[in-house]
Amino acid sequence: DVTFDIPNPDHWSQWIMESIASEGYELARIDYIFCSDAFLLEVNQTHLGHDDYTDIITFPLNANPIIAEIYISLDRVKENAASLHIPFTDELHRVMIHGILHLCGYDDHEEGDIKMIRRKENQYLEYLKQ
């Protein structure tokens, strides 16, 4: 329900594929669906039974090779970037790789898991800068 063009999509695709390969997985297909808060809230309510806003929902359809749909609320990413005082694209990259890490088996429910997924996010964000 939004229009969004990824700047330099080949660079981003390469980054995603290399990140997945670094985790020992193969990629068959990932569909990123960029949407509004309202759209993602409806997905969250309908498919997960949650009644709250989120920046990302990842639906794994196959484990390895990875096939998945990743829904990202651009409204939420913009708001998070503003509150963190960072550029929108930096926050978008973090959210995108966060979804990839979930597909590669990382979780973020326990304190130790959160630290690990943040460390991995930072690692792959550094790769993107190269």
Side-chain angles (χ1 to χ4, degrees), residues 32-102:
Y32 279 98
I33 298 92
F34 298 103
C35 57
S36 69
D37 266 350
F39 185 90
L40 197 53
L41 178 61
E42 184 177 327
V43 171
N44 210 6
Q45 292 167 332
T46 302
H47 297 283
L48 301 177
H50 300 160
D51 194 24
D52 52 342
Y53 291 103
T54 187
D55 51 4
I56 185 170
I57 297 177
T58 303
F59 289 107
L61 305 174
N62 192 67
N64 200 11
I66 291 173
I67 301 173
E69 293 179 351
I70 297 178
Y71 291 77
I72 296 177
S73 167
L74 295 178
D75 296 329
R76 194 80 358 234
V77 171
K78 286 176 192 171
E79 187 173 303
N80 291 345
S83 69
L84 295 168
H85 307 289
I86 62 172
F88 167 78
T89 54
D90 289 357
E91 180 64 7
L92 181 58
H93 292 149
R94 181 173 300 280
V95 171
M96 290 175 73
I97 201 64
H98 185 86
I100 295 299
L101 291 169
H102 278 306

Side-chain angles (χ1 to χ4, degrees), residues 1-15:
D1 66 340
V2 299
T3 299
F4 179 68
D5 292 321
I6 294 177
N8 198 356
D10 292 338
H11 182 67
W12 288 24
S13 293
Q14 189 65 32
W15 168 61

